[in-house]
Amino acid sequence: MSVPTDLVDRVRSRLASSGLEITSAEVARAVREEAGGVVGDADVLEALRLMRQEFVGAGPLDPLLRAPGTTDVLVTGPDQVWLDGDGGLRRTDVTFPDEDAVRRLAQRLALICGRRLDDAQPFVDAWLPAGALGRVRLHAVLPPIAPDGTCLSLRVLRRAGHDLDSLRELGTFDKRTHDILEAIVDARLAFVVTGGTGAGKTSLLSALLGRVDHSERIITVEDAGELQPDHPQFVRLIARPPNVEGAGEVTLADLVRQGLRMRPDRIVVGEVRGAEVCDLLTALNTGHDGGAGTVHANSPAELPARMEALAALGGLTREALHSQLAAAFQVVLHMRRHPDGTRHLDEIGVLTRTHSGVHVAPATNEALGALLKPRGVEPPC
């Protein structure tokens, strides 16, 4: 069915210039008033459908975001809409009329987040307000930065319902590994979760924090507010980007320092990605046992090199980083995502200090026993 182009343009202009909150009711009213009996009922209904897609929610992406198991919705062109989640990455049959429609959706979603997306600021990374879709992280890039057209990435974060038991039932790890993880938390060993994007680092970290004794106070510092452990003494601090004038920024490093003043028993950085690693290591070397964080790394063995690169941003030398790292963390947990979408705890490592620096070795029974027994926790058989 073909809707008159001038009708769609008139409705779009009316809604864009109204200054009102664009709801389904406002869209319907604008379509009825602009149609004015000139076009048929079927055309009015089709125009209403098109305008709702453009101005309400995430448009044609809404059904994908609402589907159970969806983790990411990715748009790389008007006819290139991809879905990631249970079953892995796959192309959908959802399409946009043209490149302008993708760009308009990206700009509208950025505006909802209170962010700017235009030729002067051609990329955005922000969180959509929490609503029926749960929490959705928006990333968009406009041409000419993305020369083939607007790229839109939406990551869905639903409230984690997984504790260690349910993760084991999902096949993330086996019974013995489950017991090792509980022992690591009970012994208040500091640990870091590594892995790639979408590997399940946050889900595992949330489950581990849910295991922490309820008498302990957990302070988490995050860039995006993804951690939601089932714990009564959980306090979350979230970083803030600068506004359009470039003012008002609150960094992770700022929040780590604030978290230390809030009487934490454990301090956690949701994702270490920059100079805040220096503040985290300092915090974990001042008597705060059981701290944790996540870091993007390809394997546990590559963690020291990754931390070196991040610490350099904060002016920390290699020697100083290795010295603090060896004292701050004891265990590395590496998550891996497989092509079919499943996620597994692939490897557990322990940090060891050598004459050349810190290395990560496989967590043998002897190595785990050396860490757990001095803290009064028996290693699992």
Side-chain angles (χ1 to χ4, degrees), residues 253-319:
D254 294 330
L255 294 182
V256 169
R257 291 191 290 272
Q258 298 308 312
L260 288 172
R261 300 184 176 100
M262 297 172 67
R263 193 234 171 257
D265 289 302
R266 301 190 188 223
I267 188 161
V268 176
V269 176
E271 183 175 333
V272 179
R273 61 175 69 186
E276 68 276 359
V277 67
C278 302
D279 298 275
L280 176 62
L281 293 175
T282 300
L284 297 183
N285 279 296
T286 55
H288 293 88
D289 290 336
T294 68
V295 178
H296 280 86
N298 294 328
S299 69
E302 295 182 20
L303 175 66
R306 174 69 172 151
M307 297 292 266
E308 284 179 28
L310 297 178
L313 299 175
L316 201 62
T317 64
R318 181 184 186 277
E319 293 74 18

Side-chain angles (χ1 to χ4, degrees), residues 38-202:
V38 177
V39 297
D41 290 343
D43 288 338
V44 171
L45 290 174
E46 179 64 9
L48 178 59
R49 184 186 69 82
L50 292 174
M51 290 299 96
R52 278 177 173 163
Q53 283 191 350
E54 181 166 337
F55 284 100
V56 179
L61 306 181
D62 257 348
L64 302 179
L65 294 170
R66 294 177 187 275
T70 295
T71 59
D72 297 88
V73 175
L74 311 169
V75 182
T76 54
D79 60 346
Q80 293 277 336
V81 179
W82 298 78
L83 174 69
D84 196 9
D86 297 341
L89 184 65
R90 57 196 182 277
R91 187 173 177 177
T92 73
D93 57 3
V94 174
T95 61
F96 289 81
D98 49 36
E99 158 63 19
D100 286 343
V102 182
R103 182 186 179 103
R104 285 195 300 268
L105 175 59
Q107 290 179 314
R108 180 169 62 79
L109 294 178
L111 184 62
I112 292 173
C113 299
R115 304 292 291 276
R116 175 181 176 181
L117 182 63
D118 52 30
D119 291 340
Q121 180 60 48
F123 52 84
V124 66
D125 184 14
W127 284 85
L128 293 168
L133 298 176
R135 286 181 58 78
V136 177
R137 186 171 188 171
L138 162 72
H139 184 272
V141 185
L142 300 180
I145 304 301
D148 295 327
T150 301
C151 290
L152 179 61
S153 304
L154 297 170
R155 166 157 289 188
V156 181
L157 177 69
R158 295 183 174 90
R159 183 171 180 83
H162 299 316
D163 55 14
L164 289 177
D165 290 334
S166 59
L167 287 180
R168 177 167 63 86
E169 292 171 1
L170 289 172
T172 306
F173 41 75
D174 58 22
K175 175 63 168 62
R176 182 174 182 276
T177 303
H178 174 274
D179 294 340
I180 291 174
L181 293 175
E182 288 191 334
I184 288 171
V185 176
D186 294 346
R188 294 179 57 84
L189 296 178
F191 60 89
V192 59
V193 184
T194 61
T197 300
K201 301 186 298 297
T202 299

Side-chain angles (χ1 to χ4, degrees), residues 21-43:
E21 180 182 359
I22 300 177
T23 63
S24 293
E26 281 297 321
V27 171
R29 186 172 66 84
V31 170
R32 286 195 303 269
E33 293 181 0
E34 289 296 335
V38 177
V39 297
D41 290 343
D43 288 338

